[in-house]
């Protein structure tokens, strides 16, 4: 039997702060610290989850943990974020209630990781299938893409979200995800051009330079060295624990899974590279937009190539500003400062619009299909938005971020504390009213955002100082506003409040804002010349990002300010959240060092106070944590029994919920049984009907096939029968014809016989043979006479021969031709003398040796062989040599002996006798070498027309080449 663990089993500290005794701020912090020291990072306040950032990996997010918390009661196991995610998912699936999970806390408290854990848990416990798995994978893989382009390293967080993200995930009636929609809020685009000390730009810049291949960087005209780019801070370029190269590969893979095409990914990387190149453009007074050196000019040219824009168009956009008013155009020249402002404005807008395009493109991939969008779906929203920020230097971005956190705190108070306040007032319970601070920030008339918009839109000279003067005039009496000139400032010489700053008391504490840059950042102006220049680019994505640059759609109306847009989008977000059942995760960071095992009590105490966690505990302890209207309560549990409990509190609710879940299971089983029976019956009837139709069609088909077979067989039998009859008739006709021919032949021979018998007595018996012999003899006589008159010449090489006149003379004709050829050859040889006969024998021997083997042979056939070509015996020059030779010289000629050392030839006399081979000097006739013929192993002759031959000697192992 499985033993279920309880919340109180082996509990470290108190898992639910509602049960904490005694309840005080110190005991609250002590309980958090005790659990944090034992790696218990989650604690409950009723249904609210407190999450402490451990700044390290813990083995509590495994698939086994997912299965452990799946379909379990909220308080059945120890506190975990999976318990809240499971409760929200089951409420959405079983009770058909739209859910939202609000994750709040300071920057670095772990909100982004908490949102990832919620989404991964929901993806793990919902249904499975090819399409469902594809949707889940796309929803999960959208996170790495948005983090790369929207997150950055700050002094408080190595992966801080510099934009707000709200994702609505839509589910079908079974609880399977169908798709989602992502909304982004206020990307901190000023970070593109400038980062505070100790922080760095958005992750994607460092990931691209670290993880892209050399070929990709070459195409993008980039270098891996961060120092080559002005927009990248170098003091924090390398972050411990962040592998930019591996993250880049993860982002590329995630973009592919989400549905980005390869050309879209390349276009995005080109724009990122263009932003980096844009930061390297520098200006000087002489030529406003030319770079100060060749490297800067190169960067500008490469950026123009990446964007597909002409360099002259970009230079003019950085040099001049055109102002249009009705029908007039005024062009003014930009100074160096204005040119730098235009450059940075273009970089910020280009990156911000690229980020918005990425969100839109991801939404196109993960949205619910048109066929499914027609029906209403269940929705779960996950909000991961920037946390409350207090820096040394706080500007417009921190003001907007903290305003958004004020709105989120308002949602939490309205949905929890205010409802309890109203209940307490109705029941006469004493309660301290909770004041709201949003009137100062977002009032449509006297709010800071409204005054900032009014200041930006009014004519005349507008500066940050005039805006601060306006705040001092209107907000001076407000208790949450302080400045050097306001009445709330106790000391005018307080150095903690400079002249160009103002201070606001937020729910999380006082924040000092530096007014410098408020007006420019709120205006967020991009000169129309730059928009039009970007629209002229040939890049596939640029035209989509700058539609206002289209000359045919010029809009002279001033665009809305950044504050107005953000206020409107946050208002829409708040309305969306108020329509859903909220689930809260309150993230707390234990220290500012981003280190594990460190619990800074003062920092945690501050967060506990401004998050209102103590007030939340008190409300839960008052017993109203699970309030439901009475009638809906009875309606909910009416299936359990005839009577129900009109008065019940927390523990009884879980028992009722368990009973209700069991009844729902039984009802579901009954419905499934009836439905499956009906479905099987319907399936059987359909099978029966289809079987009848199939059987009817098959029988028809079978009868047709049977008829075709019978018809075919009948045709075959008929054809064979008719063929046999025709052949029989043909045989009879042929027999009749042969009989008629035989009768005719027999009659002819019979008549011939009769005639010969009758006339034989008139002819001699051997007259036929005599005539035959005479005819043959006459033919032969004529044949021989013809041969005599056409006799060919006596030359042995003459191949002419008269043609035979009759075919029967073929053998005789051939034999006579052979005999005649032999005879005339004999006659030709009989005329040879002995000397001539010897010459021809030598030629015959040479033919057998050299014919078809040496290229020089055909030209030597007609030359007579003399042997002694030098006439040694008659030539007085060689008399001494002749006397030295005691044998008859068979061959004497002048040759060139090839020297083996240097390859040069030396003239020598070559003499051949029956016993030896002799080489002698050509001039003196002196014998140089004499070799007996037995010592000569071989004679080699080349096949070419070169006259070379080689004599190989046996004993000296030498070869003469002559």
């Amino acid at each position: 039997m499985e033993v279920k663990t309880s919340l109180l089993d082996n509990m470290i500290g108190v898992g639910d702060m509602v049960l904490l005794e005694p309840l005080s701020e110190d005991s609250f912090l002590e309980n958090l610290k005790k659990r944090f020291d034992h790696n218990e990072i989650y604690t409950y306040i009723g249904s609210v989850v407190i999450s402490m950032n451990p700044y390290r990996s813990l083995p509590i997010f495994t698939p086994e943990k997912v299965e452990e918390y799946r379909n379990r009661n909220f308080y059945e196991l120890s506190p975990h974020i999976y318990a809240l995610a499971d409760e929200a998912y089951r409420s959405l699936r079983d009770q058909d209630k739209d859910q939202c999970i609000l994750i709040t806390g300071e920057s670095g408290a772990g909100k982004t990781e908490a949102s990832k854990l919620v989404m991964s848990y929901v993806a793990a416990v919902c249904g499975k299938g090819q399409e469902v798995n594809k949707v889940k994978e796309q929803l999960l893989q959208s996170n790495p893409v948005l983090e790369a382009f929207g997150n950055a390293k700050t002094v408080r967080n190595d992966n801080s979200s510099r934009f707000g993200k709200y994702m609505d995930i839509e589910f079908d009636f079974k609880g399977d995800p169908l798709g989602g929609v992502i909304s982004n809020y206020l990307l901190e685009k000023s970070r593109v051009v400038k980062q505070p000390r100790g922080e760095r730009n958005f992750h994607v810049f460092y990931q691209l330079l670290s993880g892209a291949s050399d070929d990709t960087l070459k195409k993008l005209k980039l270098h891996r060295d961060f120092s080559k780019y002005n927009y990248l801070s170098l003091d924090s370029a390398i972050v411990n624990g962040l592998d930019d190269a591996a993250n880049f590969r993860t982002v590329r893979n995630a973009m592919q899974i989400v549905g980005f095409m390869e050309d879209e990914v390349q276009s995005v990387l080109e724009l990122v590279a263009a932003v980096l190149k844009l930061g390297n453009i520098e200006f000087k007074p002489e030529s406003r937009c030319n770079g100060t050196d060749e490297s800067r000019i190169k960067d500008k040219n490469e950026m123009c190539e990446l964007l597909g824009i002409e360099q002259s168009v970009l230079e003019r956009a950085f040099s001049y500003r055109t102002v249009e008013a009705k029908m007039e155009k005024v062009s003014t020249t930009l100074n160096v400062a204005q040119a730098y402002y235009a450059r940075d404005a273009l970089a910020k807008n280009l990156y911000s619009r690229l980020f918005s395009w990425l969100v839109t493109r991801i939404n196109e991939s993960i949205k619910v299909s048109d066929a499914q969008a027609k029906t209403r779906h269940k929705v779960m929203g996950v909000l991961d938005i920037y946390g409350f920020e207090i820096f040394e230097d706080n500007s417009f971005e921190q003001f907007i971020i903290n305003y958004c956190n004020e709105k989120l705190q308002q949602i939490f108070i309205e949905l929890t504390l205010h409802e309890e306040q109203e209940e307490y007032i109705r029941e006469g319970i004493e309660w301290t009213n909770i004041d709201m601070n949003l009137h100062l920030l977002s009032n449509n008339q006297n709010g800071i955002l409204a005054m900032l918009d009014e200041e930006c839109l009014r004519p005349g000279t507008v500066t940050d100082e005039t805006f601060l003067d306006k705040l001092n005039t209107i907000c001076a009496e407000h208790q949450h506003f302080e400045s050097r000139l306001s009445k709330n400032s106790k000391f005018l010489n307080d150095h903690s409040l400079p002249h160009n700053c103002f201070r606001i008391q937020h729910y999380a504490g006082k924040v000092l804002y530096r007014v410098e840059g408020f007006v420019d950042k709120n205006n967020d102006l991009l000169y129309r010349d730059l928009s039009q220049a970007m629209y002229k680019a040939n890049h596939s994505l640029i035209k989509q990002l700058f539609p206002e640059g289209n000359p045919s759609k010029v809009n002279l109306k001033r665009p809305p300010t950044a504050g107005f847009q953000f206020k409107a989008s946050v208002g829409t977000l708040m309305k969306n959240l108020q329509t859903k059942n909220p689930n809260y995760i309150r993230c707390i960071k234990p220290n500012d060092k981003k280190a594990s095992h460190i619990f800074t009590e003062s920092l945690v105490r501050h967060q506990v106070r401004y998050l209102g966690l103590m007030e939340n505990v008190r409300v839960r302890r008052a017993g109203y944590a699970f309030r439901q209207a009475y009638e809906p309560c009875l309606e909910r549990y009416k299936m359990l029994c005839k009577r129900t409990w009109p008065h019940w509190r927390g523990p009884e609710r879980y028992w009722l919920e368990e009973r209700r879940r069991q009844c729902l299971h039984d009802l579901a089983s009954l419905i499934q049984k009836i439905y499956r029976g009906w479905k099987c019956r319907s399936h059987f009837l359909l099978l029966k009907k289809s079987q009848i139709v199939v059987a009817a069609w098959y029988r028809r088909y079978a009868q047709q096939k049977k008829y075709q077979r019978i018809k075919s067989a009948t045709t075959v039998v008929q054809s064979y029968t008719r063929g046999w009859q025709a052949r029989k008739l043909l045989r009879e006709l042929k027999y009749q014809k042969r009989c008629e021919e035989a009768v005719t032949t027999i009659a002819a021979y019979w008549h011939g016989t009769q005639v010969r018998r009758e006339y034989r007595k008139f002819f001699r018996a051997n007259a036929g043979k005599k005539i035959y012999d005479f005819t043959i003899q006459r033919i032969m006589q004529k044949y021989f006479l013809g041969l005599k008159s056409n006799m060919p010449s006596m030359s042995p090489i003459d191949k002419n021969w008269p043609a035979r006149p009759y075919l029967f003379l073929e053998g005789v004709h051939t034999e006579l031709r052979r005999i005649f050829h032999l005879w005339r050859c004999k006659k030709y040889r009989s005329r040879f003398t002995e000397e001539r006969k010897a010459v021809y024998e030598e030629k015959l021997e040479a033919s057998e040796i050299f014919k078809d083997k040496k290229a020089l042979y055909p030209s030597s056939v007609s030359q007579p062989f003399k042997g002694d070509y030098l006439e040694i015996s008659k030539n007085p020059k060689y008399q001494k040599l002749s006397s030295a030779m005691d044998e008859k010289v068979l061959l004497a000629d002048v040759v060139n002996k090839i020297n083996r050392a240097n390859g040069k030839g030396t003239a020598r006399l070559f003499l051949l006798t029956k016993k030896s081979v002799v080489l002698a000097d050509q001039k003196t006739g002196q014998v140089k070498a004499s070799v007996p013929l037995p010592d000569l192993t071989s004679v080699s002759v080349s096949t070419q027309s070169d006259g070379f031959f080689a004599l190989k000697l046996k004993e000296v192992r030498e070869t003469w080449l002559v």
Side-chain angles (χ1 to χ4, degrees):
M1 180 178 179
E2 181 183 3
V3 178
K4 297 183 179 180
T5 59
S6 173
L7 179 65
L8 300 177
D9 293 342
N10 302 321
M11 180 63 66
I12 297 173
V14 179
D16 190 348
M17 292 294 188
V18 176
L19 305 177
L20 183 63
E21 290 291 348
L23 178 62
S24 65
E25 191 175 87
D26 292 335
S27 63
F28 191 98
L29 293 174
E30 183 181 355
N31 187 53
L32 285 180
K33 184 177 186 304
K34 183 178 181 180
R35 293 179 59 79
F36 178 77
D37 291 340
H38 289 81
N39 297 328
E40 294 289 343
I41 63 173
Y42 296 115
T43 308
Y44 290 154
I45 301 178
S47 60
V48 177
V49 176
I50 302 175
S51 172
M52 299 284 288
N53 192 344
Y55 290 114
R56 61 193 178 95
S57 298
L58 295 176
I60 59 174
F61 306 110
T62 60
E64 291 76 15
K65 279 288 181 181
V66 172
E67 291 300 321
E68 183 179 350
Y69 280 85
R70 186 173 186 175
N71 291 329
R72 304 292 285 269
N73 286 328
F74 188 77
Y75 295 105
E76 189 174 349
L77 300 175
S78 59
H80 202 289
I81 195 172
Y82 286 166
L84 181 135
D86 186 75
E87 184 75 12
Y89 175 70
R90 286 193 292 129
S91 297
L92 174 127
R93 182 191 62 191
D94 300 338
Q95 301 177 20
D96 200 20
K97 290 183 179 180
D98 291 347
Q99 304 290 317
C100 66
I101 298 177
L102 304 180
I103 307 172
T104 58
E106 284 192 10
S107 178
K111 298 185 299 301
T112 300
E113 289 301 319
S115 68
K116 292 181 185 177
L117 292 173
V118 170
M119 292 181 62
S120 63
Y121 179 86
V122 173
V125 301
C126 63
K128 293 178 175 56
Q130 183 175 358
E131 288 299 324
V132 174
N133 290 340
K134 179 181 178 182
V135 172
K136 291 192 293 187
E137 189 69 16
Q138 287 184 337
L139 291 173
L140 294 176
Q141 291 300 325
S142 64
N143 280 328
V145 180
L146 295 180
E147 284 186 16
F149 286 86
N151 288 22
K153 190 263 182 191
T154 65
V155 294
R156 297 188 175 185
N157 188 1
D158 290 342
N159 188 31
S160 177
S161 298
R162 307 319 299 162
F163 73 105
K165 182 183 75 171
Y166 175 73
M167 175 182 285
D168 267 334
I169 307 174
E170 299 188 30
F171 298 82
D172 62 7
F173 70 96
K174 302 188 300 297
D176 295 338
L178 300 175
V181 178
I182 298 175
S183 302
N184 63 301
Y185 303 95
L186 189 66
L187 178 73
E188 188 188 5
K189 56 186 175 183
S190 61
R191 182 172 294 272
V192 174
V193 299
K194 184 180 180 182
Q195 305 90 40
R197 182 177 298 276
E199 300 187 6
R200 70 176 194 171
N201 213 325
F202 292 101
H203 292 327
V204 67
F205 296 110
Y206 305 93
Q207 292 174 0
L208 175 61
L209 298 182
S210 300
S213 63
D214 294 336
D215 184 53
T216 301
L217 291 181
K218 184 177 180 181
K219 290 180 181 179
L220 299 177
K221 310 180 189 307
L222 295 176
H223 306 279
R224 295 197 186 275
D225 188 3
F226 298 154
S227 62
K228 292 184 178 294
Y229 305 101
N230 296 334
Y231 280 166
L232 300 184
S233 59
L234 300 180
D235 56 342
S236 301
I238 305 300
V239 181
N240 294 331
L242 282 183
D243 188 348
D244 291 320
N247 289 338
F248 179 76
R249 293 188 291 271
T250 301
V251 171
R252 287 294 302 267
N253 182 59
M255 295 180 77
Q256 183 179 4
I257 293 174
V258 171
F260 282 82
M261 306 300 291
E262 190 61 33
D263 57 336
E264 292 177 330
V265 176
Q266 184 64 25
S267 299
V268 170
L269 296 182
E270 288 173 355
L271 294 189
V272 174
V275 172
L276 290 177
K277 295 287 184 182
L278 194 60
N280 288 350
I281 298 178
E282 296 182 356
F283 306 94
K284 58 184 179 180
E286 300 86 54
S287 55
R288 290 163 298 277
C289 57
N290 289 331
T292 57
D293 53 34
E294 289 298 325
S295 63
R296 302 308 182 191
I297 295 176
K298 180 181 178 182
D299 286 332
K300 179 175 63 177
N301 295 340
E302 291 176 347
M303 189 200 72
C304 292
E305 292 178 10
L306 287 172
L307 297 181
I309 185 173
E310 296 181 5
Q311 184 175 338
S312 59
V313 175
L314 189 64
E315 289 178 356
R316 177 169 179 80
F318 282 143
S319 303
Y320 302 95
R321 179 187 179 188
T322 303
V323 179
E324 299 183 22
K326 295 184 180 180
M327 302 302 292
E328 296 183 359
K329 287 186 179 181
V330 178
S331 181
T332 58
T333 304
L334 301 180
N335 56 32
V336 173
Q338 291 172 331
Y340 276 115
Y341 175 84
R343 181 200 69 176
D344 292 344
L346 177 60
K348 291 187 291 185
N349 274 272
L350 180 58
Y351 190 84
S352 175
R353 298 183 187 204
L354 173 63
F355 184 79
S356 299
W357 179 87
L358 282 172
V359 175
T360 304
R361 180 63 181 83
I362 292 174
N363 284 335
E364 291 178 1
S365 298
I366 66 176
K367 69 178 182 180
V368 179
S369 63
D370 295 337
Q372 296 172 333
K374 297 179 180 178
T375 59
R376 181 189 176 277
H377 302 125
K378 306 173 183 180
V379 179
M380 175 182 289
V382 180
L383 179 64
D384 174 20
I385 204 162
Y386 13 59
F388 194 90
E389 294 182 347
I390 306 177
F391 296 117
E392 293 181 3
D393 187 8
N394 301 285
S395 185
F396 178 75
E397 291 82 10
Q398 281 68 44
F399 178 79
I400 290 295
I401 289 172
N402 294 341
Y403 162 72
C404 180
N405 280 271
E406 288 274 10
K407 294 289 288 185
L408 291 175
Q409 184 69 4
Q410 178 194 22
I411 285 287
F412 175 73
I413 292 173
E414 286 182 354
L415 296 180
T416 57
L417 305 184
H418 273 192
E419 289 184 1
E420 305 306 327
Q421 290 179 14
E422 294 172 1
E423 186 68 21
Y424 289 179
I425 293 172
R426 285 195 301 270
E427 297 183 7
I429 302 174
E430 292 185 3
W431 181 258
T432 302
N433 187 38
I434 297 175
D435 188 21
M436 302 299 296
N437 190 31
L438 288 171
H439 184 274
L440 174 63
L441 302 179
S442 60
N443 184 270
N444 291 332
Q445 294 181 353
N446 297 328
I448 294 178
L449 285 175
M451 286 187 287
L452 180 59
D453 286 348
E454 182 180 345
E455 191 70 9
C456 290
L457 299 177
R458 74 174 177 84
T461 303
V462 178
T463 63
D464 297 320
E465 287 72 19
T466 60
F467 168 62
L468 183 58
D469 293 339
K470 191 167 187 175
L471 291 182
N472 290 330
T473 302
I474 299 177
C475 301
E477 300 292 336
H478 201 285
Q479 59 179 341
H480 293 151
F481 178 84
E482 295 179 9
S483 71
R484 294 278 290 192
L485 300 179
S486 70
K487 295 181 180 179
N488 290 328
S489 179
K490 297 180 180 179
F491 304 101
L492 294 179
N493 57 354
D494 183 5
H495 296 289
S496 66
L497 187 59
H499 286 282
N500 62 339
C501 298
F502 63 93
R503 183 183 291 141
I504 294 179
Q505 174 68 48
H506 288 282
Y507 74 96
K510 291 184 178 182
V511 181
L512 181 68
Y513 296 102
R514 190 176 301 277
V515 77
E516 181 182 354
F518 262 65
V519 173
D520 283 341
K521 292 177 180 178
N522 189 51
N523 274 325
D524 193 23
L525 289 179
L526 180 67
Y527 297 153
R528 185 175 292 109
D529 301 79
L530 289 173
S531 297
Q532 293 176 350
M534 291 297 103
Y535 189 80
K536 293 178 182 178
N538 293 326
H539 196 273
S540 59
L541 196 55
I542 287 291
K543 288 184 182 295
Q544 301 179 40
L545 301 184
F546 293 89
E548 75 275 11
N550 189 349
S552 62
K553 298 180 180 179
V554 176
N555 185 8
L556 301 180
K557 186 178 180 180
R558 186 184 181 95
T561 62
F564 178 83
Q565 296 180 47
F566 183 72
K567 182 179 177 182
S569 60
V570 169
T572 303
L573 173 64
M574 297 304 135
K575 292 179 181 178
N576 190 357
L577 295 178
Q578 288 174 345
T579 62
K580 297 178 173 61
N581 183 50
N583 301 270
Y584 298 99
I585 302 175
R586 314 292 269 181
C587 298
I588 296 177
K589 60 179 182 179
N591 59 79
D592 277 331
K593 298 179 180 180
K594 296 180 286 188
S596 59
H597 303 294
I598 297 178
F599 187 92
T600 306
E601 183 176 340
S602 59
L603 178 63
V604 177
R605 185 185 299 272
H606 173 69
Q607 296 175 76
V608 168
R609 286 178 179 176
Y610 78 69
L611 288 174
L613 299 185
M614 291 297 297
E615 289 78 4
N616 201 345
V617 173
R618 294 190 183 99
V619 170
R620 298 288 180 176
R621 287 168 67 93
Y624 299 99
F626 311 110
R627 179 182 292 110
Q628 287 185 331
Y630 184 71
E631 289 300 330
C633 175
L634 293 181
E635 184 71 21
R636 176 172 177 79
Y637 299 112
K638 69 179 181 180
M639 68 179 68
L640 301 179
C641 59
K642 295 181 179 180
R643 295 180 300 171
T644 187
W645 294 263
H647 305 289
W648 49 272
R649 289 184 181 269
E652 296 162 347
R653 175 179 182 265
Y654 296 110
W655 181 79
L656 290 174
E657 284 291 334
E658 186 64 30
R659 287 290 310 277
R660 181 179 182 274
R661 187 176 294 109
Q662 184 63 38
C663 289
L664 284 176
H665 178 74
D666 296 340
L667 289 174
S669 301
L670 180 62
I671 293 171
Q672 285 182 353
K673 181 184 73 172
I674 297 174
Y675 171 73
R676 288 172 180 170
W678 170 82
K679 187 175 181 180
C680 290
R681 176 66 179 172
S682 301
H683 184 63
F684 167 74
L685 294 176
L686 287 175
L687 287 177
K688 181 179 179 181
K689 182 179 179 181
S690 61
Q691 191 274 339
I692 294 173
V693 174
V694 171
W697 281 89
Y698 175 75
R699 288 167 181 162
R700 174 187 174 188
Y701 169 77
Q703 290 299 322
Q704 289 178 343
K705 293 292 289 183
K706 182 178 179 181
Y707 168 75
Q708 292 293 339
R709 288 197 300 271
I710 294 174
K711 181 179 179 181
S712 177
T714 303
T715 304
V716 171
V717 171
Q718 287 180 350
S719 64
Y720 273 95
T721 303
R722 291 168 181 166
W724 174 77
Q725 292 176 347
R727 287 191 295 275
K728 180 179 179 182
L729 178 61
L730 178 62
R731 285 196 298 271
E732 293 175 354
L733 291 176
K734 285 183 177 180
Y735 178 75
Q736 184 179 356
K737 182 178 180 181
R738 284 198 300 272
C739 291
E740 293 176 354
E741 291 177 350
V743 170
T744 304
T745 302
I746 292 171
Y749 276 93
W750 171 253
H751 290 303
T753 301
Q754 291 296 107
V755 171
R756 284 193 294 275
R757 283 179 182 177
E758 184 176 354
Y759 288 94
R760 185 176 298 167
K761 55 185 176 183
F762 301 105
F763 295 95
R764 298 178 61 176
N766 56 351
K769 186 176 182 304
K770 291 287 186 178
I771 294 172
Y772 175 77
D773 293 339
F774 175 78
T775 303
I776 293 301
Q777 184 180 5
R778 179 61 186 147
I779 289 173
M780 294 299 293
Q781 183 181 9
K782 186 177 179 181
Y783 169 68
F784 283 115
L785 290 176
L787 285 178
K788 183 179 180 180
S789 60
N790 296 321
M791 186 63 64
S793 65
M794 295 299 293
S795 173
I797 62 175
D798 187 6
K799 297 182 180 180
N800 293 328
W801 186 253
R804 57 171 174 74
Y806 300 104
L807 184 62
F808 72 92
L809 296 175
E810 176 68 29
V812 177
H813 190 74
T814 303
E815 186 65 19
L816 286 176
R817 180 179 183 180
R818 186 183 67 80
I819 294 172
F820 176 76
H821 178 69
L822 294 176
W823 174 74
R824 66 182 176 183
C825 289
K826 182 177 180 302
K827 286 289 186 181
Y828 185 78
R829 289 195 302 271
S830 63
R831 297 198 299 268
F832 288 173
T833 63
E834 292 298 329
E835 295 178 355
R836 189 173 181 81
K837 186 181 294 185
V839 170
Y840 276 102
E841 287 178 354
E842 291 174 350
K843 289 291 183 181
L844 181 61
E845 187 71 21
S847 174
E848 293 177 356
I849 296 174
F850 297 108
K851 186 177 182 182
D852 298 331
K853 296 180 181 179
K854 186 170 179 61
L856 195 63
Y857 172 75
S859 60
S860 66
V861 173
S862 60
Q863 300 178 7
F865 180 71
K866 294 173 60 176
D868 187 5
Y869 293 96
L870 303 179
E871 297 180 350
I872 293 178
S873 60
K874 299 179 182 180
N875 194 337
K877 181 178 178 181
Y878 304 118
Q879 184 175 4
K880 182 179 179 181
L881 179 63
S882 177
S883 61
M885 301 296 296
D886 55 353
E887 300 178 15
K888 181 180 179 181
V889 176
L890 300 178
L891 176 63
D893 200 356
V894 178
V895 298
N896 284 326
K897 182 178 181 299
I898 305 302
N899 193 333
R900 296 173 64 88
N902 54 18
K904 295 183 179 181
T906 305
R908 291 286 186 268
L909 297 179
F910 180 81
L911 305 178
L912 175 65
T913 66
K914 291 184 178 181
K915 294 183 178 180
S916 61
V917 176
V918 179
L919 289 179
D921 188 86
Q922 183 183 11
K923 296 181 179 180
T924 62
Q926 183 180 358
V927 176
K928 294 292 184 179
S930 177
V931 179
L933 286 180
D935 293 340
L936 189 65
T937 59
S938 64
V939 180
S940 301
V941 182
S942 70
T943 60
Q944 307 300 322
S945 302
D946 48 20
F948 283 97
F949 68 96
L951 304 179
K952 188 172 183 181
L953 309 182
K954 179 171 61 177
E955 293 183 359
V956 296
R957 296 181 180 178
E958 185 181 358
T959 302
W960 291 352
L961 183 61
V962 294

